[in-house]
Amino acid sequence: MAAPVTVYGPAISPAVARVAACLLEKDVPFQLEAVDMSKGEHKSPSFLKLQPFGQVPAFKDHLTTVFESRAICRYICDQYSDRGNRTLLGRQEDGAVGRAAIEQWIESEGQAFNPPSLAIAFQLTFAPLMGMATDMAVVEQNEEKLAKVLDVYEGRLAESQYFAGDEFTLADLVHMPNTDLLVSKTGKAGLITERKNLSRWWDEVSARPSWKKVVELQSAPRPPRS
Amino acid sequence: MAAPVTVYGPAISPAVARVAACLLEKDVPFQLEAVDMSKGEHKSPSFLKLQPFGQVPAFKDHLTTVFESRAICRYICDQYSDRGNRTLLGRQEDGAVGRAAIEQWIESEGQAFNPPSLAIAFQLTFAPLMGMATDMAVVEQNEEKLAKVLDVYEGRLAESQYFAGDEFTLADLVHMPNTDLLVSKTGKAGLITERKNLSRWWDEVSARPSWKKVVELQSAPRPPRS
């Protein structure tokens, strides 16, 4: 029987990978459903009902739809609080203060880390796949912006094992898809590996079984259409 | 006696205004503390301990510090769940599904609405204040991006009174500072007022006492240094 949770979009998309990593970490069964973006399926009326901006992933759990990968991750943690990793949004006894220590780094990821890292990955990884030319000026501009963010991260990860303290949380998880793109698919691994603490952090988080499974999903053949 | 909650930064900053609006909506007393950005105070070692990226606002509640305006707003709602407006992150009985309906629009604001609207406001409002030239090509590019987002918002607000349904929530609140800049300070009010439902929404949300107080704070003389 199909799982009640469906993620719509290709696993190679970093936003889809973010949601898949969260579901795997939480041990929530799900299926990936293909969206043929080359045929514009993400702009079809039925897809726009799930995701009004026409972006991947879309997400459905029984009758509930949620969009935006970081909102979907928070939903998975809140809705499945008793499954899998139970501390992705903090320990219950730490309350609002514990959650805020995580939320501030989730927001840093969305506001400061994602824009330049995604711009670099788009130019160096996705543009060539789509037959588009790489704009090296855009790469350089964004590398400069990203380096400043990574310097802050390097300082943070000198103080604590993970972004929000001694435990792996959603603050770490949300950073993983774009970090993997930088390390594995852009030729810009040095941005991470030349920073001692970030490099140590990446070795640790990317060794998690949940992330290894995401990498498998990304290299698997396209899932069948339902 | 000073309130335990301090927001560091000028009220004219949209991110500071976002946090102030949330505190006012939640009826949590706070003080604004000036940060003289022209003197680089936001890059001082003591400020960087509060906010590692050297941006405003920084935020402190007793011994707890939080950064990133949207993370601070979530903290205020979670920590002061029994004060002021109690449904900014949803009704307790609606659980994870209710919160997700709000979180997805908070994330849209951060990911889709904020970048182009802030870029326009920077060019048309803040650059002239800082003696910098306005780059009209940047304004035009971002107006085109923003129009697509606003078209989705217009469709959403044709279906429901507020972003997440029948009640004013944090999903609405986070959009207010940049919307106010567009309407009041950039000469680009038409982006909002020419869209019937967005215009109706803005009239309603900007009439709230909490927002009127934010506008007062923005026009008040700079707060004294503590």
Side-chain angles (χ1 to χ4, degrees):
Chain A
M1 205 182 86
V5 173
T6 305
V7 181
Y8 302 79
I12 196 71
S13 146
V16 173
R18 190 174 292 120
V19 170
C22 187
L23 287 162
L24 289 160
E25 195 68 41
K26 292 292 294 172
D27 200 18
V28 174
F30 67 101
Q31 59 255 326
L32 266 184
E33 185 158 318
V35 177
D36 192 339
M37 300 172 76
S38 70
K39 290 189 182 157
E41 282 184 2
H42 56 309
K43 302 295 179 188
S44 69
S46 62
F47 191 86
L48 291 173
K49 280 193 185 165
L50 293 171
Q51 213 296 354
F53 295 93
Q55 294 166 343
V56 294
F59 175 90
K60 199 170 175 181
D61 179 7
H62 295 87
L63 294 177
T64 300
T65 60
V66 187
F67 52 86
E68 284 288 343
S69 64
R70 298 161 192 87
I72 298 168
C73 289
R74 290 184 181 98
Y75 165 78
I76 295 163
C77 294
D78 286 338
Q79 179 72 352
Y80 295 98
S81 57
D82 58 347
R83 287 191 69 108
N85 186 330
R86 296 177 191 204
T87 52
L88 285 181
L89 277 175
R91 296 188 171 272
Q92 204 166 359
E93 61 266 32
D94 293 335
V97 172
R99 183 158 175 156
I102 298 165
E103 286 285 359
Q104 62 188 357
W105 294 109
I106 298 176
E107 279 295 326
S108 297
E109 187 276 322
Q111 292 296 313
F113 175 78
N114 181 60
S117 57
L118 194 61
I120 292 169
F122 180 81
Q123 292 297 331
L124 295 176
T125 308
F126 296 112
L129 285 177
M130 297 158 73
M132 293 165 65
T134 293
D135 186 333
M136 284 307 296
V138 171
V139 174
E140 279 164 33
Q141 272 170 19
N142 282 286
E143 217 177 313
E144 200 177 315
K145 284 187 197 170
L146 182 59
K148 290 179 187 164
V149 178
L150 296 180
D151 286 344
V152 175
Y153 285 4
E154 178 67 3
R156 172 60 188 165
L157 294 168
E159 292 169 350
S160 64
Q161 188 176 359
Y162 297 104
F163 275 97
D166 297 335
E167 286 187 303
F168 176 85
T169 68
L170 199 54
D172 303 290
L173 187 149
V174 293
H175 284 88
M176 294 180 69
N178 292 20
T179 305
D180 188 39
L181 285 170
L182 291 173
V183 170
S184 311
K185 300 192 178 73
T186 61
K188 293 289 178 188
L191 284 164
I192 305 299
T193 58
E194 287 165 14
R195 290 176 167 88
K196 189 179 80 175
N197 294 292
L198 253 176
S199 184
R200 184 262 310 154
W201 169 84
W202 178 244
D203 287 345
E204 284 175 14
V205 297
S206 60
R208 295 179 77 83
S210 59
W211 188 253
K212 289 185 177 171
K213 179 76 181 156
V214 171
V215 174
E216 268 175 44
L217 286 174
Q218 291 182 326
S219 50
R222 184 178 281 218
R225 303 302 305 274
S226 66
Chain B
M1 206 183 83
V5 173
T6 306
V7 181
Y8 301 79
I12 195 71
S13 145
V16 173
R18 191 173 292 120
V19 170
C22 187
L23 287 161
L24 289 160
E25 195 68 39
K26 292 293 294 174
D27 200 18
V28 174
F30 67 101
Q31 58 255 327
L32 266 184
E33 184 159 319
V35 176
D36 193 338
M37 298 171 78
S38 70
K39 290 190 182 155
E41 283 184 1
H42 55 310
K43 303 293 181 190
S44 69
S46 62
F47 191 85
L48 291 174
K49 281 193 186 165
L50 293 170
Q51 213 295 353
F53 296 93
Q55 295 167 341
V56 293
F59 175 89
K60 200 169 172 180
D61 179 6
H62 296 86
L63 294 177
T64 300
T65 60
V66 188
F67 53 84
E68 285 287 343
S69 64
R70 299 162 191 88
I72 298 167
C73 289
R74 291 184 181 98
Y75 165 79
I76 295 162
C77 294
D78 286 337
Q79 178 72 350
Y80 295 98
S81 56
D82 58 346
R83 288 192 69 108
N85 186 330
R86 296 177 192 204
T87 52
L88 284 182
L89 277 176
R91 295 188 171 273
Q92 204 165 0
E93 61 266 33
D94 293 335
V97 172
R99 183 158 177 158
I102 298 164
E103 286 284 359
Q104 64 188 356
W105 294 108
I106 298 175
E107 280 294 326
S108 297
E109 187 276 323
Q111 292 297 313
F113 175 77
N114 181 61
S117 57
L118 194 61
I120 293 169
F122 180 81
Q123 292 297 331
L124 295 175
T125 308
F126 297 110
L129 285 177
M130 296 158 74
M132 294 164 65
T134 293
D135 185 335
M136 284 308 293
V138 171
V139 173
E140 280 165 32
Q141 272 169 17
N142 282 286
E143 218 177 311
E144 201 177 312
K145 282 186 198 170
L146 182 59
K148 290 180 188 165
V149 178
L150 297 179
D151 286 345
V152 175
Y153 285 4
E154 177 68 3
R156 172 59 189 165
L157 293 168
E159 292 168 351
S160 66
Q161 189 176 358
Y162 297 104
F163 275 97
D166 297 337
E167 286 186 303
F168 177 84
T169 67
L170 198 53
D172 303 291
L173 187 148
V174 293
H175 285 89
M176 295 179 68
N178 292 19
T179 305
D180 189 38
L181 285 170
L182 291 172
V183 171
S184 309
K185 298 191 179 73
T186 60
K188 294 288 179 188
L191 284 164
I192 304 299
T193 58
E194 287 165 15
R195 290 176 167 87
K196 190 179 79 174
N197 295 293
L198 254 176
S199 184
R200 183 262 308 152
W201 169 84
W202 177 245
D203 287 346
E204 284 175 15
V205 298
S206 61
R208 295 179 77 84
S210 59
W211 188 253
K212 289 185 177 170
K213 179 76 182 154
V214 171
V215 174
E216 269 175 44
L217 285 174
Q218 291 182 325
S219 50
R222 186 177 280 219
R225 302 303 304 272
S226 66

